[in-house]
Amino acid sequence: MNALKGFSAPIVAGVVLFGLWQGVLSLFNPDGFVLPAPSEIVGALIDNWDEVYQGVRITGFVVVSGLIAGIILGILAALLVTRFRTANETITPLAVAVNAIPIIALAPIFNNWFGLTSPRSNQAIVVALVFFPIFINTTRGLTQVDRSQVELMESYAASRSRITREVRIPNAMPFFFTALKLATSLAVIAAIVAEYFGGRQDALGPMITQSAGLTRYDEAWAAVLASTAIGAVLHFAVLVLERVAMPWHSLIRNPK
Amino acid sequence: MSEEPAMSEAMSTGEAESQLVIDIRGATKVFNPGRSNRVEALAEIDMAVEPGEFVTLIGPSGCGKSTLLRLVASLISPSSGSVQVNAKPAEQARLDRDYGMAFQTAGLFDWRTVTKNIELPLELMGWSKGDRRRRASEMLELVKLSEFAKHHPNELSGGMQQRVAIARALAFSPSLLLMDEPFGALDEMTREHMQDELLRIWEETETTVVFVTHSIPEAVYLSTRVVVMSPRPGTIASTIDVDLGDRSAATRDDPAFFKKVTEVRIALREVEG
Ligand SMILES: Nc1ncnc2c1ncn2[C@@H]1O[C@H](COP(=O)(O)OP(=O)(O)OP(=O)(O)O)[C@@H](O)[C@H]1O
Ligand SMILES: [Mg+2]
């Protein structure tokens, strides 16, 4: 598996970092009160496995569903905007205006709209946050095409939709994946922060606030670790998807 | 409009024989008219190309050679005047896929392999998969890139990319070939090889070629007619007929060849002032 290759370095770096963390704490902070040692966090993770696992399922669902909906909407809007001038003139300024709102600040308001314990409000936050980078970057990729490639297609009397398929969409792929990597980490942050304000109480967000409120920092960190895992798995999935979708693209970065 | 039917028949067949492949009348091109970045690229071009001709456009950089080729290809439309290809408006000729074009920049698709790039026009014309494969491998042999069939363009050098673009332009054997400095990035030996191959294809398939180059010897070696263009706004300054017979390696050392080269050089010197 080619995609695994890029992961050996971060894994080594992670092991070294956690080793240092554990070592430094055991030397200077034997109580491990505010910042528990990795061993304690892992201990808390094992002790509270059922709750953490449930939290990962709930939060993971919010993240993944919001991500998928945001991606689909972002791509559709980008295709619409590049195809129709009127769509461009209406959607683009609207999207820019919406993006100026710090969307996460809407979490308490969305909770009122969708019901305090409904995951819908958190999903909506994730969708709104994911939509924008996907929309903007994909639009850029669909429009910033090599002029001679479009002219070549025109010289073959290719239809507009054929030009979109043969030139615009492949050209937009690297733009889309750059946005997708950004969007996955945004999605996890958005979901957790949104959960601080409402949604299901067995999600990771409430677990972090409640454990920290009760000064059970090892449990709070265990939940943070679990949310990190969601982000890491998603990021890895995106990298694999990228290689599968654009086998030609790695050739640019690693010339033989 | 003859009263004699026999006579009009004779005339119409006569017309069909001499039907022009390209007929440009009073064509001008102004980019961004009425704006501060207005460019008058072409002024009053009249040009006629007959079937089987090999016409080379030569002139200083920015004189509108690529623009003229784009007009013929109907990728842009003239600001005034008319452009006809195969006795129909250039636009219709484009829709009928009457010509093949090789652009100044290779314009390959990174997401397609070399083979798939060459197959692109054939796909658009509905060739079967087997026919496409066969033609693509023939073309790759022609441009000596067979071993790179499965590579992607970004793994090739600039000159190799240009050869793929040439193979793509030749793949569907268009009756009219428009080539914009196709050999610009090639080394001298490959260039001469490609010139000979192009001449061979031109003779075998009886195509008509309009070819842009900056190289005077290349223009003379390839063409039946060299068209010298003046600096912006581009006009046709002079036309030099070249009659050197069948080309071969010896042609390049022929005094008649050098005489023509000198003739074109003088014409170019005149327009550049
Ligand atoms: N799409 C365009 N928009 C605006 N100006 C253009 C456009 N295309 C060409 N021009 C202008 O028209 C003029 C002629 O350009 P063109 O590309 O035809 O020159 P050329 O003879 O092919 O030059 P070269 O030998 O350097 O390729 C130039 O001044 C150029 O800036
Ligand atoms: Mg040019």
Side-chain angles (χ1 to χ4, degrees):
Chain A
M1 189 91 226
N2 231 350
L4 279 173
K5 246 198 274 173
F7 270 80
S8 48
I11 286 171
V12 170
V15 168
V16 171
L17 178 73
F18 283 110
L20 278 176
W21 179 350
Q22 182 87 38
V24 169
L25 280 185
S26 64
L27 281 175
F28 300 109
N29 187 10
D31 292 341
F33 181 61
V34 175
L35 183 63
S39 58
E40 290 172 75
I41 295 171
V42 172
L45 188 65
I46 293 165
D47 290 345
N48 301 282
W49 180 253
D50 288 343
E51 287 141 55
V52 173
Y53 180 67
Q54 173 70 0
V56 167
R57 279 186 46 194
I58 303 300
T59 303
F61 176 71
V62 168
V63 171
V64 172
S65 60
L67 203 53
I68 290 172
I71 291 168
I72 290 173
L73 289 177
I75 291 176
L76 284 181
L79 285 172
L80 215 63
V81 154
T82 37
R83 180 64 183 80
F84 301 105
R85 185 183 287 267
T86 46
N88 185 20
E89 282 161 3
T90 49
I91 295 180
T92 309
L94 197 71
V96 171
V98 168
N99 188 56
I101 305 169
I103 287 162
I104 204 83
L106 296 177
I109 300 170
F110 275 32
N111 280 328
N112 283 340
W113 289 357
F114 293 99
L116 191 60
T117 55
S118 160
R120 292 273 171 274
S121 67
N122 299 346
Q123 282 173 307
I125 296 280
V126 174
V127 172
L129 239 83
V130 165
F131 171 80
F132 197 76
I134 298 283
F135 167 62
I136 288 295
N137 275 278
T138 308
T139 304
R140 195 168 291 156
L142 289 171
T143 45
Q144 284 180 6
V145 291
D146 187 345
R147 194 171 73 119
S148 65
Q149 291 179 344
V150 174
E151 286 194 336
L152 182 85
M153 294 300 285
E154 283 171 351
S155 83
Y156 299 140
S159 67
R160 240 182 131 134
S161 64
R162 195 72 197 251
I163 295 178
T164 301
R165 245 184 312 146
E166 300 284 354
V167 181
R168 296 189 189 281
I169 290 175
N171 189 69
M173 296 275 243
F175 293 80
F176 168 74
F177 276 103
T178 304
L180 188 53
K181 282 175 215 159
L182 180 72
T184 46
S185 46
L186 273 179
V188 178
I189 297 170
I192 300 277
V193 175
E195 282 168 356
Y196 288 170
F197 298 99
R200 286 186 57 156
Q201 289 308 293
D202 47 357
L204 287 176
M207 192 179 296
I208 295 169
T209 47
Q210 284 159 19
S211 305
L214 298 170
T215 68
R216 290 207 298 258
Y217 288 111
D218 51 349
E219 284 172 23
W221 277 96
V224 170
L225 188 65
S227 52
T228 309
I230 297 176
V233 166
L234 285 175
H235 194 79
F236 179 73
V238 171
L239 289 183
V240 172
L241 204 63
E242 186 179 27
R243 304 247 171 152
V244 172
M246 306 190 293
W248 72 89
H249 197 244
S250 58
L251 302 169
I252 300 167
R253 284 173 294 172
N254 322 312
K256 52 174 193 307
Chain B
M1 291 282 169
S2 166
E3 276 140 47
E4 296 227 20
M7 173 86 169
S8 82
E9 224 167 71
M11 268 179 69
S12 65
T13 46
E15 258 170 29
E17 266 166 35
S18 65
Q19 186 195 73
L20 294 173
V21 176
I22 298 174
D23 188 4
I24 304 175
R25 295 195 187 175
T28 66
K29 183 66 196 180
V30 179
F31 288 107
N32 311 315
R35 304 230 302 262
S36 61
N37 55 351
R38 175 182 188 278
V39 178
E40 192 181 356
L42 292 176
E44 289 289 322
I45 300 281
D46 290 294
M47 190 169 102
V49 177
E50 285 180 35
E53 275 197 283
F54 197 125
V55 176
T56 298
L57 303 177
I58 196 164
S61 179
C63 73
K65 303 179 293 297
S66 299
T67 303
L68 184 53
L69 224 52
R70 283 202 165 85
L71 279 181
V72 175
S74 173
L75 296 171
I76 53 175
S77 42
S79 304
S80 62
S82 75
V83 180
Q84 297 234 311
V85 175
N86 290 338
K88 47 197 167 184
E91 162 101 34
Q92 190 55 46
R94 178 173 67 84
L95 295 176
D96 293 348
R97 293 163 178 155
D98 280 3
Y99 67 85
M101 184 153 182
F103 291 84
Q104 196 165 355
T105 51
L108 299 176
F109 295 3
D110 281 340
W111 41 90
R112 284 173 167 257
T113 60
V114 164
T115 300
K116 281 278 192 181
N117 264 286
I118 297 171
E119 286 183 17
L120 176 70
L122 310 179
E123 273 174 37
L124 284 156
M125 285 164 204
W127 287 38
S128 75
K129 201 179 162 109
D131 287 348
R132 293 200 309 256
R133 276 288 130 89
R134 219 164 303 123
R135 176 53 65 90
S137 74
E138 278 170 31
M139 288 294 131
L140 277 172
E141 225 158 274
L142 178 75
V143 295
K144 300 194 167 155
L145 284 174
S146 298
E147 46 190 308
F148 291 94
K150 292 210 164 62
H151 287 238
H152 284 268
N154 48 31
E155 296 172 280
L156 307 185
S157 74
M160 290 157 88
Q161 292 182 8
Q162 236 179 4
R163 273 141 72 199
V164 177
I166 294 161
R168 180 178 61 187
L170 297 175
F172 69 100
S173 319
S175 65
L176 172 61
L177 259 175
L178 307 173
M179 308 184 90
D180 197 349
E181 294 183 45
F183 305 155
L186 305 185
D187 66 272
E188 201 56 33
M189 290 316 292
T190 312
R191 196 178 178 127
E192 289 186 1
H193 166 73
M194 290 305 304
Q195 288 170 356
D196 287 326
E197 286 299 331
L198 179 59
L199 283 178
R200 187 180 59 76
I201 290 167
W202 169 66
E203 270 160 21
E204 278 176 8
T205 59
E206 294 175 342
T207 46
T208 308
V209 183
V210 180
F211 189 98
V212 174
T213 181
H214 279 290
S215 158
I216 300 171
E218 178 168 86
V220 172
Y221 186 73
L222 291 174
S223 326
T224 55
R225 187 149 61 100
V226 178
V227 171
V228 180
M229 290 179 67
S230 68
R232 202 176 45 244
T235 54
I236 292 175
S238 56
T239 297
I240 296 163
D241 287 316
V242 184
D243 187 14
L244 295 174
D246 282 347
R247 311 305 204 255
S248 66
T251 311
R252 296 184 199 272
D253 301 320
D254 188 344
F257 174 75
F258 289 117
K259 229 182 112 209
K260 279 291 166 193
V261 168
T262 309
E263 202 178 317
V264 174
R265 180 167 293 129
I266 290 168
L268 263 174
R269 215 172 273 154
E270 268 167 22
V271 300
E272 296 198 62

